[in-house]
């Protein structure tokens, strides 16, 4: 794990990774508090109420001063942040546990003044984690890419309903960091830039070749090797100008406001799938599996109401989609059960309508087992719950181990942080983590390059060409964000 103080280039690594310990990556001045001390850094946090946010879906995104901002926004509520007070990078199978341990060390030493006391106020960190335990990456492009990152911003602005707040965070001993009024003025608002002309190209596996990958997955399922596998593909886009995440977020937050629009360390998207929300002892997970394409996407004329009803009914009766969905719900319920004293798992899914597709959806909820001071047990953070849930059958398959091995064998794609957990964690175990779907990753080496991802759940009855068409529908949100026209159906 690498712990980096503020002021370093995002993604830069100058220390030697070590699991479960703090690594000093920037020498402290003799009179500074050592930021790499075994007990971790010390933060001073202040949250105050504000009242100047307009009631629009992009009000929070519009506050971001530059393209390096952090975001987690839905229906105009959520959190955005900028600057870096601290950054933790983790590697390999221990990426979740190491990040959670680092976060708890920070919490133990933080001094927090919170006048708002809502989920998301006080001390928070944004995070993004790789899908797989093994992420070799491209050694020439990114020789030491982290498997996970937690970022504690210097400034956070949040909104929940009719209440809004601002949090400022400073690192004790970091004399180079601005404080007070200087902290806000240190990040002047830069104009939002559009990407200009965008050209798409095949990714690791071309669209013409991907159905053969799906056919192989179907064949392996039909032999009884496994019941379901989720296979993904990518598309590479090159923009005329460096990509501004605020432009992408603004379009996503407006057109896909029922999704969670996010941006963390170059990973940007609008996910419809909530891996876990933890709040005041209650947990929830929105499971999506089973998809049908809608006739019209965002920015197009609305489809006739009867057409949507017909598609919804078709999806709700599809044995293939219902089977795929059941695998996903079972995996989430099984992963949450050890943490809960009671759970509610609906018997049948509902149809979730999004601008580009419809999904079969189930909201699984639960009450966390009493883990207060008298129980002798440490309450799980939202990050540790996300780690327990990942990877669900919605993004991997069933059985998990077999499906993950098959993905590594036949997919031909480095997923990186696509389909991994993305979201935020708070000071009291609260937080929200989504699955990084309908997403893309901006290259850290060239801000004009971005990889778009889409995946499909494959079962015995899957048709390779139909799955290719479904993947095209799932690429639509990021195409729309980039201003690329929807290809003919």
């Amino acid at each position: 794990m690498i712990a980096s103080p503020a002021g370093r280039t995002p993604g830069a690594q100058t220390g030697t990774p070590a699991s479960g310990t703090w690594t000093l990556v920037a020498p402290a001045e003799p009179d500074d508090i050592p930021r790499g001390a075994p007990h971790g850094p010390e933060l001073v946090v202040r949250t105050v109420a504000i009242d100047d946010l307009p009631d629009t879906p992009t009000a929070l995104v519009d506050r971001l001063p530059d393209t390096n901002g952090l975001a987690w926004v839905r229906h105009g509520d959520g959190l955005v942040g900028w600057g870096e007070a601290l950054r933790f990078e983790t590697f390999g199978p221990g990426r979740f546990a190491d990040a959670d341990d680092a976060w708890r060390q920070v919490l133990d030493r933080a001094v927090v003044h919170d006048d708002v006391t809502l989920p998301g106020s006080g001390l928070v960190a944004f995070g993004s984690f790789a899908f797989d335990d093994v992420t070799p990456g491209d050694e020439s492009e990114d020789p030491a890419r982290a498997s996970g990152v937690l970022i504690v911003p210097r400034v956070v602005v949040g909104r929940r309903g009719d209440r809004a707040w601002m949090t400022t965070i400073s690192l004790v001993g970091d004399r180079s960091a601005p404080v007070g009024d200087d902290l806000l003025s240190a990040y002047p608002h830069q104009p939002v830039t559009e990407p200009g002309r965008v050209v798409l190209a095949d990714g690791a596996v071309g669209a013409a070749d991907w159905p053969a990958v799906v056919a192989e997955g179907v064949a392996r399922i039909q032999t009884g090797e496994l019941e379901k596998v989720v296979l993904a593909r990518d598309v590479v886009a090159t923009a005329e100008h460096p990509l501004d995440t605020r432009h992408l977020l603004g379009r996503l937050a407006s057109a896909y406001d029922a999704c969670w629009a996010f941006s963390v360390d170059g990973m940007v998207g609008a996910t419809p799938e909530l891996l876990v929300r933890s709040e005041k002892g209650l947990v929830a997970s929105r499971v999506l599996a089973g998809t049908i394409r809608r006739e019209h996407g965002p920015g197009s004329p609305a489809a006739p109401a009867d057409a949507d009803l017909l598609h919804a009914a078709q999806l709700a009766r599809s044995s293939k989609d219902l089977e795929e969905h059941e695998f996903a719900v079972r995996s989430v319920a099984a992963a949450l059960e050890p943490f809960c004293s009671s759970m509610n798992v609906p018997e049948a899914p509902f149809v979730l309508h999004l601008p580009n597709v419809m999904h079969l959806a189930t909201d699984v909820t639960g009450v966390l087992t009493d883990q207060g001071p008298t129980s002798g047990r440490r309450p799980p953070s939202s990050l540790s719950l996300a780690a327990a849930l990942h990877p669900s059958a919605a993004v991997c398959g069933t059985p998990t181990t077999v499906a993950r091995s098959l993905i590594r064998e036949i997919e031909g794609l480095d997923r990186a942080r696509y389909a991994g957990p993305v979201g935020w964690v708070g000071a009291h175990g609260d937080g929200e983590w989504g699955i990084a779907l309908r997403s893309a990753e901006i290259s850290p080496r060239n801000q004009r390059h971005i990889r778009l991802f889409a995946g499909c759940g494959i079962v015995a009855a899957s048709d390779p060409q139909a799955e290719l068409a479904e993947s095209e529908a799932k690429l639509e949100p990021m195409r729309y964000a980039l201003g690329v026209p929807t290809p003919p159906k």
Side-chain angles (χ1 to χ4, degrees):
M1 174 178 62
I2 290 180
S4 173
R8 304 206 61 81
T9 302
Q13 301 178 22
T14 57
T16 301
S19 178
T21 61
W22 290 94
T23 301
L24 183 62
V25 298
E29 296 295 327
D31 57 347
D32 282 345
I33 291 177
R35 296 186 289 269
H39 297 296
E42 183 176 352
L43 297 174
V44 177
V45 183
R46 180 63 188 268
T47 298
V48 296
I50 59 174
D51 58 5
D52 57 347
L53 278 180
D55 186 18
T56 63
T58 63
L60 288 169
V61 173
D62 293 341
R63 279 296 188 103
L64 292 171
D66 55 45
T67 189
N68 296 317
L70 304 156
W72 179 260
V73 177
R74 180 175 185 257
H75 289 315
D77 286 358
L79 302 170
V80 296
W82 57 90
E84 287 190 12
L86 282 175
R87 178 188 188 92
F88 312 106
E89 294 183 343
T90 57
F91 299 80
R95 61 195 181 282
F96 296 109
D98 288 346
D100 196 51
D101 287 345
W103 178 240
R104 291 182 184 275
Q105 290 184 43
V106 170
L107 295 178
D108 288 344
R109 291 174 57 84
V111 179
V112 180
H113 306 278
D114 185 356
D115 297 339
V116 176
T117 62
L118 286 173
S121 66
L123 182 56
V124 299
F126 293 78
S128 174
F129 292 84
F131 167 81
D132 205 352
D133 293 341
V134 180
T135 309
D138 182 341
E139 291 297 316
S140 64
E141 172 71 14
D142 194 357
R145 180 176 53 198
S147 302
V149 62
L150 276 183
I151 299 172
V152 180
R154 284 178 170 167
V155 181
V156 177
V157 176
R159 179 165 67 186
R160 187 182 178 95
D162 60 356
R163 300 186 65 186
W165 62 89
M166 176 180 289
T167 300
T168 55
I169 303 167
S170 59
L171 179 64
V172 172
D174 185 4
R175 296 182 304 179
S176 64
V179 296
D181 292 340
D182 291 338
L183 180 57
L184 299 180
S185 61
Y187 298 95
H189 194 278
Q190 300 175 7
V192 177
T193 58
E194 298 187 3
R197 183 170 179 266
V198 177
V199 177
L200 300 182
D202 280 339
V205 179
D209 299 322
W210 194 68
V213 177
V214 174
E216 176 64 19
V218 171
R220 301 287 277 270
I221 292 169
Q222 291 176 343
T223 66
E225 185 176 332
L226 71 168
E227 296 172 288
K228 173 186 174 179
V229 65
V230 179
L231 296 174
R233 54 183 283 247
D234 65 342
V235 172
V236 179
T238 302
E240 182 180 1
H241 307 299
L243 291 161
D244 189 329
T245 56
R246 296 170 299 171
H247 174 77
L248 305 180
L249 283 169
R251 289 177 65 83
L252 292 170
S254 296
Y256 292 85
D257 63 327
C259 299
W260 288 266
F262 63 86
S263 176
V264 180
D265 198 40
M267 200 71 192
V268 60
T271 181
E273 189 152 2
L274 182 69
L275 184 61
V276 66
R277 173 192 296 118
S278 181
E279 181 178 322
K280 297 180 180 178
L282 303 177
V283 292
S285 179
R286 171 162 287 184
V287 183
L288 304 183
T291 305
I292 192 168
R293 189 170 190 167
R294 297 185 72 173
E295 293 294 334
H296 298 271
S300 303
D306 55 351
D308 275 350
L309 289 174
L310 179 63
H311 281 90
Q314 180 182 345
L315 180 62
R317 293 194 304 264
S318 166
S319 57
K320 177 263 180 187
D321 290 292
L322 288 167
E323 179 187 21
E324 178 188 343
H325 189 81
E326 183 182 355
F327 290 138
V329 172
R330 286 204 317 243
S331 73
V332 167
L336 278 180
E337 187 176 15
F339 299 95
C340 295
S341 59
S342 64
M343 292 182 61
N344 178 46
V345 184
E347 292 184 2
F350 64 93
V351 176
L352 176 67
H353 295 239
L354 297 174
N356 58 321
V357 294
M358 298 179 191
H359 290 294
L360 292 179
T362 296
D363 289 336
V364 177
T365 57
V367 179
L368 289 175
T369 303
D370 180 21
Q371 294 171 319
T374 59
S375 70
R377 294 187 295 269
R378 187 173 73 173
S381 69
S382 61
L383 175 56
S384 62
L385 292 172
L389 285 162
H390 178 78
S392 76
V395 293
C396 184
T398 305
T400 301
T401 302
V402 179
R404 185 154 45 187
S405 295
L406 184 59
I407 289 169
R408 292 170 181 167
E409 178 187 345
I410 71 172
E411 190 173 65
L413 170 69
D414 174 16
R415 291 190 181 189
R417 288 178 288 160
Y418 166 70
V422 61
W424 64 273
V425 59
H428 302 291
D430 54 337
E432 290 184 315
W433 293 87
I435 302 175
L437 306 176
R438 315 301 134 83
S439 61
E441 185 175 33
I442 299 172
S443 169
R445 298 295 182 91
N446 187 336
Q447 298 291 304
R448 294 170 52 246
H449 292 172
I450 185 170
R451 276 204 304 159
L452 287 61
F453 299 92
C456 299
I458 310 303
V459 294
S462 293
D463 174 72
Q465 290 299 327
E467 299 299 341
L468 177 63
E470 180 180 317
S471 74
E472 289 292 329
K474 290 177 175 178
L475 288 167
E476 174 58 26
M478 288 310 305
R479 283 198 182 107
Y480 173 79
L482 289 165
V484 177
T486 302
K489 298 178 185 178

